[in-house]
Amino acid sequence: MATSPSTAPRDDRPPAASPVSLDRANPEAEIARAARAYSNWGRWGADDVLGTVNFITDELRLAAAGLVRRGATFSLAQRFDMDGPQRGWRRRTNPVHTMLDTGTDAVAGNQGFPHGIGGADDVIAMPLQCSTQWDGLGHIFDHGKAWNGRDAARTVTSDGDLVTGIERLARPVCGRGVLLDVARVIGPSVAAPGGAGAHDELPDGFAITAEQLSATAAAHGVAVGRGDLLLVRTGRYARALREGWGDYAGGAAPGLSFTTAGWLHRTEVAAVATDTWGFEVRPNEFDESFQPLHQVVIPNMGLLIGEMWALEELAADCAADGVYEFFLTAAPLPITGAVGSPVNPIAVK
Amino acid sequence: MATSPSTAPRDDRPPAASPVSLDRANPEAEIARAARAYSNWGRWGADDVLGTVNFITDELRLAAAGLVRRGATFSLAQRFDMDGPQRGWRRRTNPVHTMLDTGTDAVAGNQGFPHGIGGADDVIAMPLQCSTQWDGLGHIFDHGKAWNGRDAARTVTSDGDLVTGIERLARPVCGRGVLLDVARVIGPSVAAPGGAGAHDELPDGFAITAEQLSATAAAHGVAVGRGDLLLVRTGRYARALREGWGDYAGGAAPGLSFTTAGWLHRTEVAAVATDTWGFEVRPNEFDESFQPLHQVVIPNMGLLIGEMWALEELAADCAADGVYEFFLTAAPLPITGAVGSPVNPIAVK
Amino acid sequence: MATSPSTAPRDDRPPAASPVSLDRANPEAEIARAARAYSNWGRWGADDVLGTVNFITDELRLAAAGLVRRGATFSLAQRFDMDGPQRGWRRRTNPVHTMLDTGTDAVAGNQGFPHGIGGADDVIAMPLQCSTQWDGLGHIFDHGKAWNGRDAARTVTSDGDLVTGIERLARPVCGRGVLLDVARVIGPSVAAPGGAGAHDELPDGFAITAEQLSATAAAHGVAVGRGDLLLVRTGRYARALREGWGDYAGGAAPGLSFTTAGWLHRTEVAAVATDTWGFEVRPNEFDESFQPLHQVVIPNMGLLIGEMWALEELAADCAADGVYEFFLTAAPLPITGAVGSPVNPIAVK
Amino acid sequence: MATSPSTAPRDDRPPAASPVSLDRANPEAEIARAARAYSNWGRWGADDVLGTVNFITDELRLAAAGLVRRGATFSLAQRFDMDGPQRGWRRRTNPVHTMLDTGTDAVAGNQGFPHGIGGADDVIAMPLQCSTQWDGLGHIFDHGKAWNGRDAARTVTSDGDLVTGIERLARPVCGRGVLLDVARVIGPSVAAPGGAGAHDELPDGFAITAEQLSATAAAHGVAVGRGDLLLVRTGRYARALREGWGDYAGGAAPGLSFTTAGWLHRTEVAAVATDTWGFEVRPNEFDESFQPLHQVVIPNMGLLIGEMWALEELAADCAADGVYEFFLTAAPLPITGAVGSPVNPIAVK
């Protein structure tokens, strides 16, 4: 397997204001330090299979339901079809949807059903990481360890994730959603002057810091806290919608800085989802590495991560009414043993 | 295509108390009469793609959010795996989930990622009608007509449903859910004496009537009305869980009587879902027919139908606290052009 | 469906020496004329499902076996994997191959088999038109008619080709193979001077004429005749191997001229295969058309067509020993109702 | 993974005349002894990827071509469709074939192609072990070792067989085929008296011995030797065709005795294929084991094994003309990294 679909030179990245000192030439040590510092292993017992989703309580969910003011809904899923972002890396294709029966055949009398009834059926073949998705806890390992310290070789085999399969998350992923539209708040000060979308899109390679997350929350008038389903908008998906996918899947993109690991741990959010392919900034911040923030937050922190979410409509609405919190349901399909799942998250305001 | 996977003799069916006169030997005329009487064609304009989901308004959804009292969630999806109910009819298989990368390979050092990160990816191939699902409006036709009177041959082709694809329902399927646990209310009086599960399971072939739906609602202390997402529990899935799938997919089952079409139309529910393979009673009520209630309610009424929902946990909770209404989110995956979608519905009480 | 993946302007095509008069502005009439002139409808009876494969007799096959002089074999198949030529047109992807069990899991002790046995299994999902293939007789229609004058709407439905499925060709596609290496014979006189591969590759858009086919056969010292499995090398695949796929799938390419239809009919070959995506020249020769030679030869002539064959090794051997005829077995996988099949053709010299 | 789909009690098996002493209670020792005795590791060098297929030389292939007397062909493949033998064990389904475009849509004018051309495309999803197939050398391991002593964990990963993928066998699997119709020669003396098909079908659980293979060859007047592609007919497939698949996939069946390993090694055949699911007798001959002959012959001997071949037509022809040798081409699809491949073997007499 190739280690990365993108090898754009680091120099192309705009400077990221990072107040946390990061030794960019020493990923091993930095990753190890963060993994140790922000580990949640054992926090919910040795048998835990939910990770930070444990932070969501019925009380928090009840309070979140109280955020519904208008009854308006927003789907945060991209469309699942052949026009999606995938280009074949790691055998990730776009979804292939085919018909088993059609209206055309019904009208042509080819179906053999009685009394005028006709039907259409269909089939899909898709990677579970092809579009709007949750990364399950079995998606990433750190030095052979899966979530909660388990042996990855015994946890995720050819038979799937035998312990932390995505079906474990079928019920609880529902609660308070908070949108941090970093692109809208920070974008104008960092985008190339005069560039298209400069006002509300972060440039590729832009590493969002903890300070910028906090500043965005402050600008929105929301506080991010325990059990929240946090959505971070970078504007990258808007750019893809406008300019075409290009290398949306695996290429350069804005995203969370490696240095946000502590903030994510401290805030005790239940999940974080972005409008980018890879959640964290691309190219990654170390001279040579691959998704180091994933390596810290999934197997060590037990954090649920969402990728390729479609945040444009919701963000426009939040900008319009100034309300950045809502009730959010984002239940994965309970595919037994899956290390991820496509999802159609629904925000209700 | 075979017309039906099940040809159990009609005599096996228990008598269904049906106050509505039904000429069982004349399905063509009965279907035509019901289709005409309960048609919603044109009701929401010539371009409508939502059908009865139009009944759900923001106001109703806002009110539904107010039903959340505890913040408890219930997943109403069966698990998606090879141990599902499908037996191959109409090329419907159970989901085939395979791994593109595993923890075993990560530990064995086969992945080539730097600094100790490892990963797992996966793929699924499945019929969209294989497990817990919504039937899209393009799933069933009546004499060559799809929902709203459209030509089925131009609506659902080999390229999928070009007009009413399930992606149209990505956003709105969220509102008040009501469970009618007909099995619990009516079951004891109709089940075989002393039979296993006799107290809360309807027998195969039992046709639930409008009167029984109303009686169940009355017993629960709920009223079913406009925009509701109605769930009807027959207990058939509980029997499958206990005894094995057998012919759950396509075989004999309790379900809605053909005669409930008027009730479904009058109540103006947005959707109906059951815990059975086929929503309506099996074998069907005419001497020779195939899913005649589908033929009336999908293309003519524009009703959203859910099948193979897992209602056991929710039903147990409703029986315990006596509350049969809740907030329900059941957003399909927005698979472009699909005539159905797997779904993980989440009820919040 | 898009009508064509390639819309390169006609002017880019090098002039093709075409002694047959062709009204390039009038495809409808030209296609109709050729379809009528070269139709084989009824030639092998009303029930025929084999088309020109009928030309292969046991006698011809016996004679072909006599062509084996050394016992050397050549595989004429491209490799089936994610690195293939497809780019998504008509939902054609490259093959997705996934493992159900691996050696890594066997060694890790994850399989549960007794006494040290371990195993690996795998799965493939692929369009039947994704790589080296035969086009079945149900692959192309002419004004609603399939091979032998059948109604296409009753022949190839959502259930597949009910009459001329590729399984019909499971047994007979075996006989005398003849390679016409047009690129090697004609290439030097038509290629761009000094261009890479100029000596044995035809340029994109080059339409091979009947005269050039005959001249190549004469240069090789072979006669093409009844029942032959004819292979035509253009060198396009060699260029793709060297330069990358580019738009190999659907883009510009050398190939048979529309005007060869008569020659193909007269010679009574059983099949023709090329080393290109589309068998006939691309862009096509009419001002606006799509694969007009297919339209004539598949549904009207009943000709078996092979595409994306890997002819390089065989061609090198033929050039070395001067022998361009051989025993050829090219049995499709008998996929019931398929309109095409991947194939690994084996030439024996 | 379950260790076996079949657990029929051993006592149901008819007694097998086995002159080779076999300690049925000690599979570990017996397997180890045979693996050591019949190993071909290193025989063709450390880099070998072909195993016993190395026995086929051009000379042998040339001689085999001389066996063609009439030019008659026989397809030895079962049909690939949903009506196949698979029942889901190890996620093995039957092939799912779906259409991407149909004749019905062409006739309905839904395709948008110009000038009356219409087309049909299709897709398949299937396990490579679902029907008539070759087991690649990476299909089975012995105590963590793959063919030629390689580490299985480095040879067959989630990325497929990196060394001995079935694409390695694309070219050479072609030569002299020999049919041993054991069922026809031995069947009458071992079948239940008066049973259907008693004259030419071996009973389930019947273990074919080396002596019976030799006796059958003698009765046919053929000698089995180096480089032969050996076909062994048990009649099990004929029974499935007549009675339905039942537990053809994994259940009880006649097949080669574990004790034939030495004979297979001595004769230096290039490959062996049977008309059964599993090549060797089922249930296996040890008190508790799983496919022990596979464990010896694939990873240790490097033997190519074919399963689920359709031998009925060929066998009938051989019985009619008394000729049991022929030219055989059985080229796998070159699916990169596959541990097996569907195949349509063609015998020419």
Side-chain angles (χ1 to χ4, degrees), chain D residues 191-337:
Chain D
H199 58 295
D200 68 348
E201 292 173 17
L202 299 174
D204 288 342
F206 184 87
I208 300 167
T209 64
E211 288 67 32
Q212 289 164 337
L213 291 171
S214 296
T216 300
H220 291 342
V222 291
V224 174
R226 175 178 286 208
D228 283 344
L229 301 161
L230 178 64
L231 315 184
V232 177
R233 182 179 171 277
T234 71
R236 183 66 182 82
Y237 177 55
R239 192 149 65 245
L241 287 178
R242 193 176 61 241
E243 300 178 358
W245 289 115
D247 60 354
Y248 180 86
L256 266 63
S257 169
F258 180 82
T259 61
T260 60
W263 186 91
L264 293 170
H265 189 251
R266 266 195 315 281
T267 52
E268 301 185 330
V269 292
V272 185
T274 67
D275 58 349
T276 66
W277 171 82
F279 163 68
E280 58 189 290
V281 64
R282 300 273 306 167
N284 302 133
E285 294 159 283
F286 296 105
D287 292 346
E288 192 182 342
S289 68
F290 185 67
Q291 302 293 76
L293 185 56
H294 276 70
Q295 188 174 351
V296 170
V297 300
I298 294 182
N300 293 289
M301 201 184 297
L303 181 65
L304 183 64
I305 290 181
E307 289 164 337
M308 294 186 264
W309 288 36
L311 303 176
E312 295 310 294
E313 281 186 58
L314 176 63
D317 187 86
C318 293
D321 72 359
V323 178
Y324 283 85
E325 57 183 352
F326 35 83
F327 189 64
L328 180 66
T329 304
L333 278 189
I335 302 165
T336 309

Side-chain angles (χ1 to χ4, degrees), chain B:
Chain B
M1 184 194 330
T3 53
S4 165
S6 167
T7 53
R10 291 248 357 272
D11 293 347
D12 289 343
R13 296 193 314 108
S18 173
V20 178
S21 160
L22 190 71
D23 182 353
R24 289 164 185 270
N26 197 355
E28 280 275 3
E30 291 284 356
I31 292 167
R33 193 171 58 81
R36 208 165 39 238
Y38 309 127
S39 169
N40 282 326
W41 289 4
R43 183 167 183 163
W44 298 284
D47 294 338
D48 181 67
V49 295
L50 300 179
T52 55
V53 169
N54 282 294
F55 285 131
I56 314 178
T57 62
D58 284 5
E59 290 70 29
L60 289 172
R61 218 179 269 118
L62 175 59
L67 297 173
V68 178
R69 308 274 166 80
R70 294 148 43 201
T73 54
F74 302 86
S75 164
L76 311 183
Q78 298 181 13
R79 293 212 174 168
F80 287 74
D81 58 36
M82 281 293 286
D83 297 324
Q86 301 300 331
R87 291 292 174 269
W89 182 70
R90 285 183 94 182
R91 283 172 284 171
R92 287 183 187 165
T93 63
N94 291 310
V96 178
H97 171 236
T98 60
M99 301 304 295
L100 291 164
D101 271 303
T102 65
T104 323
D105 277 308
V107 169
N110 290 333
Q111 299 192 329
F113 288 121
H115 310 313
I117 189 172
D121 258 35
D122 41 9
V123 168
I124 201 161
M126 62 176 167
L128 298 177
Q129 288 74 33
C130 67
S131 184
T132 306
Q133 74 185 86
W134 284 122
D135 284 349
L137 291 178
H139 180 53
I140 297 290
F141 317 111
D142 183 12
H143 290 86
K145 294 298 178 186
W147 162 239
N148 228 16
R150 295 186 181 96
D151 178 358
R154 298 287 173 179
T155 305
V156 184
T157 75
S158 297
D159 286 328
D161 186 331
L162 309 174
V163 181
T164 44
I166 203 77
E167 77 277 11
R168 303 287 193 164
L169 298 175
R171 192 189 58 75
V173 188
C174 166
R176 180 186 185 233
V178 173
L179 173 67
L180 294 189
D181 192 344
V182 181
R184 196 172 302 260
V185 172
I186 307 290
S189 65
V190 299
H199 58 297
D200 68 347
E201 292 173 18
L202 299 175
D204 289 342
F206 184 87
I208 301 169
T209 64
E211 289 65 32
Q212 289 164 337
L213 292 171
S214 295
T216 301
H220 290 344
V222 291
V224 175
R226 176 178 285 209
D228 283 345
L229 301 160
L230 178 64
L231 314 182
V232 177
R233 183 179 171 277
T234 70
R236 183 66 183 82
Y237 177 56
R239 191 150 64 246
L241 287 177
R242 193 177 59 241
E243 300 178 358
W245 289 116
D247 59 355
Y248 180 85
L256 267 62
S257 168
F258 180 81
T259 61
T260 60
W263 187 90
L264 294 170
H265 189 252
R266 266 194 315 281
T267 51
E268 301 185 329
V269 293
V272 186
T274 67
D275 57 349
T276 66
W277 171 81
F279 163 66
E280 58 189 291
V281 63
R282 301 273 306 164
N284 301 133
E285 293 159 281
F286 296 105
D287 292 345
E288 193 183 341
S289 67
F290 185 68
Q291 301 294 74
L293 186 56
H294 276 70
Q295 188 174 351
V296 169
V297 301
I298 294 181
N300 292 291
M301 201 184 297
L303 182 64
L304 184 64
I305 290 181
E307 290 165 336
M308 294 187 264
W309 288 36
L311 303 176
E312 294 310 294
E313 281 185 58
L314 176 63
D317 187 85
C318 293
D321 73 0
V323 179
Y324 284 84
E325 57 183 353
F326 35 82
F327 190 64
L328 180 66
T329 303
L333 279 189
I335 302 164
T336 309
V339 297
S341 173
V343 62
N344 179 4
I346 299 294
V348 193
K349 292 184 68 173

Side-chain angles (χ1 to χ4, degrees), chain D residues 101-121:
Chain D
D101 271 303
T102 65
T104 323
D105 276 309
V107 169
N110 289 333
Q111 298 192 330
F113 288 121
H115 310 313
I117 190 173
D121 258 36

Side-chain angles (χ1 to χ4, degrees), chain C residues 148-168:
Chain C
N148 228 17
R150 295 186 180 95
D151 178 359
R154 298 286 174 179
T155 306
V156 185
T157 76
S158 298
D159 286 328
D161 186 331
L162 309 175
V163 182
T164 44
I166 203 76
E167 77 277 9
R168 302 288 194 164

